[in-house]
Amino acid sequence: MTSPITSSDIAVSVGGDKLTFRLHESGTRATEAVLFLHGSGPGATGLSNWERTIADLGDRFWCLAPDQIGFGDSTHPLDPPRGMGPFNELRAEALLALVDVLGLEKVHLVGNSMGGQLAILMTLARPDLVGKVLLMGSGGAPNMPVSPGLTHLREFYASPSAESLKGLLSEFVYDLEPMLDTVDRVVAERMSYVNRDDVRRSHEASFDPNGTRRFFTREELATITHDVLCVHGRDDRIIPVEASRYFADALPKANLYVIAQCGHWTQIEHPEKFETLLLALLNNQI
């Protein structure tokens, strides 16, 4: 049985600046809170990454899936930080402010791709606030090759179109044919955002070639003593599976689960398996 999803706007303050999150949620405050952090890409939102997951798990957890700052219907700064590294630092700080505004003393983190980087930044900054962590196809590992798919994502606005977006999202999945209806639906949903000037501004700032990126050293990761599960599609064409092998090796209490015949969209290509893994982590079964 799926749970209803509601959406609202939540204001936070970061460095004296007011930022607003569009927050999608299911479940109730009476249960443990799980914060779902979506990845990057043209038109990405909390719902486009996590709609099924939070609908499925809302009967057991308070599921929170915000549009990140610089995405969807959350705030798009007029003068955003240049580069994924500085922009993600702002995003992580804003997420911590959101957790405080919601009055949470402890929250589990689930991060997809860029969202994995945000989960790590949050855990490094406020370890006492974080429960368990699931990193799914996470970015932030050093010395990883830049895949053609990731290059397409970064340079999308050189020639933005529905056809280009469909081509990009096709690279997110292992086998397009069974996922075609899903990809077409997500393309239609995201194009309304892709065509907005503020969304383009945020995307181009994130992937500014003159900006800086953020990688996590083994020394940093060794300080994270939380239970972590690294999940990765074996056939990921956006971020190679070696990235999760790096995190699983460097994080003291991390386990690694690699899903065969799966690309970068683990939770969408294999939703039952992904939810089983997440529940096992949260219920101390793995």
Side-chain angles (χ1 to χ4, degrees):
M1 182 177 179
T2 59
S3 300
I5 298 172
T6 61
S7 301
S8 60
D9 291 333
I10 308 291
V12 302
S13 179
V14 176
D17 294 327
K18 179 181 176 181
L19 302 173
T20 300
F21 279 101
R22 175 64 54 86
L23 178 63
H24 315 283
E25 59 184 291
S26 66
T28 69
R29 288 176 177 264
T31 53
E32 293 179 74
V34 184
L35 184 61
F36 293 85
L37 308 171
H38 70 76
S40 65
T45 66
L47 276 185
S48 70
N49 267 218
W50 301 115
E51 184 171 12
R52 171 167 176 167
T53 307
I54 67 175
D56 286 349
L57 301 185
D59 62 334
R60 282 161 281 188
F61 299 95
W62 186 21
C63 299
L64 307 164
D67 295 353
Q68 302 300 342
I69 298 302
F71 287 90
D73 292 309
S74 291
T75 294
H76 293 262
L78 292 175
D79 185 20
R82 312 304 296 185
M84 187 62 78
F87 212 152
N88 276 350
E89 294 283 354
L90 172 62
R91 291 182 178 115
E93 191 174 356
L95 286 165
L96 291 169
L98 174 65
V99 170
D100 288 339
V101 167
L102 294 173
L104 295 173
E105 296 181 359
K106 188 77 71 174
V107 62
H108 305 297
L109 303 179
V110 180
N112 171 29
S113 195
M114 179 194 77
Q117 298 178 62
L118 297 177
I120 294 171
L121 288 170
M122 293 175 69
T123 305
L124 289 170
R126 298 272 299 277
D128 59 309
L129 191 65
V130 176
K132 299 178 186 298
V133 181
L134 191 150
L135 303 175
M136 187 180 68
S138 179
N143 304 316
M144 292 295 119
V146 178
S147 66
L150 185 55
T151 298
H152 185 174
L153 186 155
R154 291 177 176 177
E155 299 175 357
F156 174 80
Y157 276 101
S159 182
S161 67
E163 291 75 19
S164 179
L165 183 57
K166 182 173 181 177
L168 171 60
L169 297 184
S170 298
E171 297 181 69
F172 276 50
V173 300
Y174 168 73
D175 183 2
L176 178 60
E177 185 174 352
M179 300 296 299
L180 190 57
D181 288 345
T182 298
V183 169
D184 286 340
R185 174 179 55 79
V186 174
V187 168
E189 292 173 355
R190 290 193 178 188
M191 282 306 296
S192 62
Y193 292 102
V194 165
N195 292 323
R196 283 172 28 182
D197 290 341
D198 56 350
V199 172
R200 178 169 186 155
R201 180 178 68 240
S202 293
H203 180 99
E204 291 180 337
S206 292
F207 296 105
D208 186 333
N210 297 315
T212 57
R213 299 171 64 190
R214 175 70 157 86
F215 302 104
F216 299 102
T217 67
R218 289 180 177 272
E219 291 74 20
E220 284 180 298
L221 297 172
T223 68
I224 295 177
T225 58
H226 303 64
D227 291 329
V228 179
L229 178 60
C230 302
V231 178
H232 213 113
R234 185 192 65 192
D235 309 286
D236 192 331
R237 297 197 296 268
I238 305 299
I239 295 178
V241 68
E242 287 74 20
S244 283
R245 296 189 192 280
Y246 170 81
F247 287 121
D249 185 53
L251 290 159
K253 296 177 66 177
N255 289 301
L256 173 65
Y257 193 99
V258 178
I259 301 177
Q261 296 187 336
C262 180
H264 195 55
W265 261 357
T266 305
Q267 81 282 26
I268 295 175
E269 286 187 271
H270 296 278
E272 295 89 356
K273 187 168 290 185
F274 173 76
E275 290 171 18
T276 297
L277 290 167
L278 176 56
L279 287 171
L281 173 67
L282 297 180
N283 292 327
N284 299 310
Q285 295 171 330
I286 55 174

